[in-house]
Amino acid sequence: MKKHIEKAPSLLACVVLGLVAVAAGSPSWGDVKKIPDVIILKDIQNRYGPVTFDHKKHTTLAENCGICHHTHAKKTYETCGDCHTQAAKILKAAANGMLMPCSGCHGEYSPETPGMPDLKVALHKKCFTCHVGMGDLGESPMGCVNTCHTRK
Amino acid sequence: MSDSKRPEPPEGPMCLTRRSFLSISVLAGAAALGTPAIARSAQGQGSPEFKGWPKSYGMLTDFTACVGCRSCEKACNEANRMPAPEKPFDDASVFEESRWPSATAYTVVNRYKNSADSSRPLFRKIQCNHCLEPACATACPIHAYTKTPEGAVIYNKDLCFGCRYCVVACPFNIPAYDYSSPLDAKIVKCILCFGRIKEGKIPACAEACPAGALTFGRRADLLKLARKRIIDSPEKYIDHIYGEREVGGTSWLYLSGVPFEQLGFPTNLPEKPLIELSKGYLSTVPVIFTTFPAIFGMVYAVMRHNERAAGKEERSKQHKEVDHE
């Protein structure tokens, strides 16, 4: 399970950098300096209202950042390019301490790469690691709206 | 809706139940009727060693990831433009009874008790497994079913005349009956969103699943992925990919953290396609029909020839006797 966590996507980086990328109109990871306390996730707006993710709260709840964020402590991939398919400049920025956006790898799902979940699945899997079993999530479909989502 | 609560297939060791007897009989009957079974046992390949279409698609269901949100049911309902169900899709009360796919729901999710962790229930999504050698297609006397190279087992509603051979033949109890028209009842079942696949999309249930419990891809890739998950987390999974070998293999594959019989899966199925059960003796039917007339015809011809020869001899003898006189 731990191994899986370590390979999991970077929720924070994804959202933060994604928002910056959208704002800037181009992927400019170098501009990201500050981590916001609260992140608004709007990935499945067609079904649910936006989800407010309290990042600050989670930094105190989680044992360490690696619980949610990718780390390279256990390198199980053959080459860097298995994950880092972006331009060398961006990879260099990531290697220098900047986090890659989740969407860098977890974009639209392709059946040709079934091992790479799309962004929605990557984020949900991360949340479910802890939240299944809290309240009625994992017992009832109502768990979705009782835990995170709001009905539209 | 009466078939929405059909009992799940019997469990336990392989024995000749009424159902399995009927299944074999139906396959045998279909094969004898113009021998479509033999001709199509390998989906047109004519080979008994058919291992599925190369590069065909499949689905991997990972029950350890499913949280029972029923998003797949909702997506299926919308993609197939079916009427809204009596109870909404976020109503957990449907889990209180065991449901089964029906004419108004091609897939359903059932809740099971978790023997390993009582605090967390288990969920099982049920739909057509899209067998590599589908017994439904073999049993259908009118060729309404097709196993497509993409992996989906589809059917032509307009050809179906309602014999229900496929209902009996399916080892997973899947084809349901649409009774909306008493005179024109039709078989209905999941077709792996074949139309969406042809459009380059993925099946609606897989697209909707937020938990990563449904993964659509090439069957060969999914088998590798499933094995990798078992190897990476042996404590999480039982060492069995359901559908890899059952009844010759299915396009839909499953991973579970508990033995599959606890989720109501039939675990007494043979590894060979069901047609193998009847193919042995049925393959002799065309041989008998072609060789026996030839053999008996030759015997008849020889006997006739001998009779004629004997008659000629008799006549020539008589002629000789007459000449002497």
Side-chain angles (χ1 to χ4, degrees):
Chain A
M1 198 64 205
K2 188 147 191 172
K3 201 189 289 178
H4 169 73
I5 290 167
E6 285 165 353
K7 279 187 253 168
S10 163
L11 173 66
L12 170 69
C14 164
V15 177
V16 171
L17 300 179
L19 288 173
V20 170
V22 169
S26 66
S28 172
W29 322 123
D31 297 341
V32 182
K33 298 288 181 194
K34 193 175 177 297
I35 299 164
D37 293 338
V38 173
I39 299 161
I40 309 296
L41 300 162
K42 298 176 180 175
D43 295 303
I44 43 176
Q45 282 191 102
N46 56 334
R47 286 194 64 187
Y48 296 108
V51 171
T52 305
F53 175 67
D54 190 338
H55 178 260
K56 194 177 183 182
K57 189 177 168 187
H58 281 79
T59 57
T60 58
L61 290 170
E63 212 173 286
N64 58 62
C65 301
I67 295 287
C68 291
H69 294 282
H70 269 295
T71 69
H72 294 79
K74 282 190 181 175
K75 186 174 173 291
T76 56
Y77 301 102
E78 288 299 313
T79 64
C80 303
D82 281 356
C83 289
H84 300 279
T85 50
Q86 285 83 359
K89 185 182 158 193
I90 298 166
L91 177 60
K92 198 177 168 190
N96 286 338
M98 302 309 301
L99 294 165
M100 264 207 351
C102 297
S103 55
C105 293
H106 301 283
E108 199 174 323
Y109 179 76
S110 165
E112 304 306 325
T113 52
M116 182 60 72
D118 65 12
L119 187 61
K120 176 188 66 184
V121 170
L123 296 179
H124 276 94
K125 278 178 91 79
K126 201 51 30 207
C127 299
F128 288 166
T129 310
C130 297
H131 281 279
V132 168
M134 292 182 186
D136 54 0
L137 184 60
E139 278 189 35
S140 163
M142 286 300 288
C144 302
V145 288
N146 291 343
T147 309
C148 291
H149 294 282
T150 50
R151 276 210 186 89
K152 284 197 91 174
Chain B
M1 282 299 279
S2 62
D3 52 356
S4 67
K5 291 170 195 169
R6 273 186 290 164
E8 297 182 14
E11 294 170 21
M14 184 65 178
C15 56
L16 197 63
T17 59
R18 182 173 171 272
R19 181 176 178 80
S20 59
F21 172 75
L22 284 171
S23 299
I24 296 165
S25 305
V26 162
L27 291 172
L33 285 171
T35 62
I38 293 164
R40 298 189 303 129
S41 66
Q43 315 317 322
Q45 298 299 297
S47 161
E49 299 300 322
F50 185 65
K51 297 287 182 192
W53 291 98
K55 292 201 163 186
S56 73
Y57 288 110
M59 190 85 78
L60 174 64
T61 300
D62 187 338
F63 291 128
T64 66
C66 182
V67 294
C69 69
R70 298 184 69 205
S71 296
C72 52
E73 285 189 56
K74 186 172 192 283
C76 179
N77 175 283
E78 289 167 358
N80 290 294
R81 297 182 186 87
M82 284 189 279
E86 288 172 25
K87 292 178 179 174
F89 285 105
D90 55 6
D91 189 338
S93 68
V94 296
F95 292 141
E96 286 162 16
E97 59 184 28
S98 180
R99 295 177 300 146
W100 204 256
S102 66
T104 52
Y106 299 162
T107 185
V108 294
V109 176
N110 281 338
R111 190 167 64 186
Y112 296 81
K113 280 183 184 167
N114 188 347
S115 60
D117 179 5
S118 58
S119 66
R120 190 183 163 186
L122 295 169
F123 298 95
R124 175 194 172 192
K125 178 184 182 297
I126 309 169
Q127 75 299 305
C128 173
N129 286 323
H130 301 276
C131 303
L132 301 185
E133 292 239 39
C136 53
T138 306
C140 180
I142 203 161
H143 295 201
Y145 281 93
T146 307
K147 174 74 176 178
T148 64
E150 288 81 5
V153 176
I154 60 171
Y155 57 96
N156 186 339
K157 259 191 162 186
D158 297 331
L159 281 180
C160 175
F161 65 96
C163 72
R164 302 176 212 193
Y165 274 18
C166 55
V167 176
V168 181
C170 176
F172 301 106
N173 221 354
I174 291 301
Y177 232 72
D178 181 359
Y179 290 101
S180 55
S181 167
L183 294 176
D184 194 25
K186 301 280 186 188
I187 288 294
V188 280
K189 72 168 195 73
C190 158
I191 55 165
L192 200 64
C193 283
F194 185 62
R196 289 175 60 95
I197 294 176
K198 293 299 268 184
E199 290 171 13
K201 297 178 188 169
I202 68 171
C205 57
E207 190 180 75
C209 178
L214 294 173
T215 309
F216 178 75
R218 308 274 181 195
R219 185 175 185 269
D221 294 340
L222 295 179
L223 280 170
K224 285 181 202 160
L225 183 65
R227 278 199 199 97
K228 188 176 184 302
R229 287 186 190 174
I230 294 173
I231 291 166
D232 286 350
S233 309
E235 74 291 345
K236 191 174 166 189
Y237 297 101
I238 60 160
D239 189 12
H240 183 183
I241 305 167
Y242 193 97
E244 183 180 14
R245 296 181 198 283
E246 280 77 6
V247 290
T250 58
S251 294
W252 211 290
L253 306 165
Y254 301 89
L255 282 176
S256 171
V258 299
F260 283 99
E261 53 264 30
Q262 289 184 25
L263 295 170
F265 277 79
T267 51
N268 58 349
L269 298 175
E271 289 195 353
K272 285 187 172 179
L274 291 185
I275 184 62
E276 297 283 334
L277 296 172
S278 53
K279 197 162 65 176
Y281 65 86
L282 286 172
S283 61
T284 61
V285 172
V287 176
I288 290 169
F289 270 100
T290 50
T291 57
F292 275 36
I295 292 168
F296 289 126
M298 279 172 67
V299 169
Y300 175 73
V302 169
M303 286 172 68
R304 184 105 190 252
H305 174 78
N306 288 348
E307 270 177 21
R308 279 184 177 173
K312 258 186 188 174
E313 216 169 273
E314 191 70 28
R315 277 198 298 277
S316 63
K317 252 184 192 177
Q318 284 172 358
H319 281 300
K320 276 176 190 172
E321 281 168 11
V322 170
D323 290 345
H324 281 297
E325 283 169 12

